[in-house]
Amino acid sequence: MLQVMILHIDMDAFFASVEQQINPGLRGRPVIVGSRDKKYHTVVAAASYEAKAYGITSGMPSWQALKICPHAEFVAADTAKYIYVSREIFKLMEAYSPQVTQTSIDEFDLEISGLELHFGPARDLGKTVKKCIRETFGLSCSVGIAATWILAKLGTKIRKPDGLILIDETNIDSIIQGLPVEKICGIGPALSAHLQGLGIMTCDQLKATP
């Protein structure tokens, strides 16, 4: 029976990276993308990795972010621009898999089971996809490959930015050892608190629980 393999793509700091690619003057600088054009009366829709290094996160009030990093470049979000780039990435990915789905504006899933004859091993396909996106759009992404979406998604979260990881039976135990359960998509504060009440705080503990 053919094993299902999912290649999950998560674009790195997507909104901010698109702005940096369009405006070379923003590259290498801390960039805050506000959800609206009011510099001090909006929230951070996205932050470049240079801004993240100062502790700036999505959802943070912009006045607070600018207090942390006064020299950050502020850009109002241009949703149409990001949607356009997202759609173009989706079209590009259709050349690599007959089954491509989009889970959000900056995340894509490719069903890659049985495609080894066309693109080689799954890890090689991941490298090809990353190279294609970078060469076409000038953007980096993180790629996680696994037999389930949850694990593929987890792979991108623990290898950001510009990462690539294949999770399978040979390395899953070492990867999840000591990893907080909150890293798993879908486990938020409430469920995390419930699991902690059961003595489950890490992914390996969760895996070992009946």
Side-chain angles (χ1 to χ4, degrees):
M1 184 175 179
L2 187 65
Q3 183 185 19
V4 174
M5 288 296 285
I6 303 296
L7 187 153
H8 180 72
I9 300 168
D10 191 343
M11 302 303 298
D12 296 328
F14 185 52
F15 293 3
S17 295
V18 169
E19 296 294 347
Q20 288 177 316
Q21 182 61 23
I22 292 173
N23 183 355
L26 297 177
R27 295 176 193 172
R29 307 187 67 177
V31 175
I32 295 171
V33 178
S35 59
R36 46 187 277 188
D37 60 359
K38 304 296 184 182
K39 185 173 181 179
Y40 294 102
H41 301 281
T42 183
V43 297
V44 177
S48 68
Y49 279 96
E50 294 85 358
K52 289 176 185 289
Y54 286 88
I56 296 172
T57 59
S58 298
M60 178 182 288
S62 60
W63 64 263
Q64 183 179 347
L66 290 165
K67 184 177 181 179
I68 294 172
C69 183
H71 62 285
E73 297 286 346
F74 178 86
V75 181
D78 185 345
T79 306
K81 187 190 302 177
Y82 313 137
I83 291 175
Y84 171 78
V85 176
S86 178
R87 286 175 177 170
E88 292 301 305
I89 293 173
F90 183 91
K91 291 178 185 176
L92 201 66
M93 293 302 99
E94 290 182 308
Y96 296 101
S97 172
Q99 297 183 53
V100 182
T101 56
Q102 187 164 4
T103 51
S104 71
I105 194 171
D106 61 349
E107 296 185 54
F108 311 85
D109 292 305
L110 282 64
E111 224 278 38
I112 61 171
S113 310
L115 297 182
E116 293 85 354
L117 290 176
H118 300 282
F119 302 109
R123 188 185 296 273
D124 289 349
L125 177 55
K127 292 178 181 178
T128 298
V129 165
K130 285 171 60 65
K131 181 180 179 183
C132 181
I133 291 176
R134 184 178 289 280
E135 290 182 347
T136 306
F137 303 100
L139 303 173
S140 73
C141 67
S142 296
V143 168
I145 306 169
T148 67
W149 179 84
I150 286 287
L151 286 177
K153 168 73 174 175
L154 177 66
T156 61
K157 292 183 74 173
I158 63 177
R159 285 295 187 272
K160 273 191 165 291
D162 199 22
L164 170 63
I165 187 171
L166 169 64
I167 301 178
D168 59 22
E169 65 278 1
T170 67
N171 63 2
I172 184 171
D173 288 337
S174 62
I175 288 171
I176 67 173
Q177 183 69 35
L179 196 68
V181 290
E182 296 91 337
K183 288 290 185 179
I184 297 177
C185 185
I187 297 184
L191 182 52
S192 176
H194 179 71
L195 290 172
Q196 287 179 19
L198 298 174
I200 302 170
M201 288 165 284
T202 63
C203 293
D204 53 299
Q205 290 175 331
L206 181 61
K207 182 173 182 286
T209 302

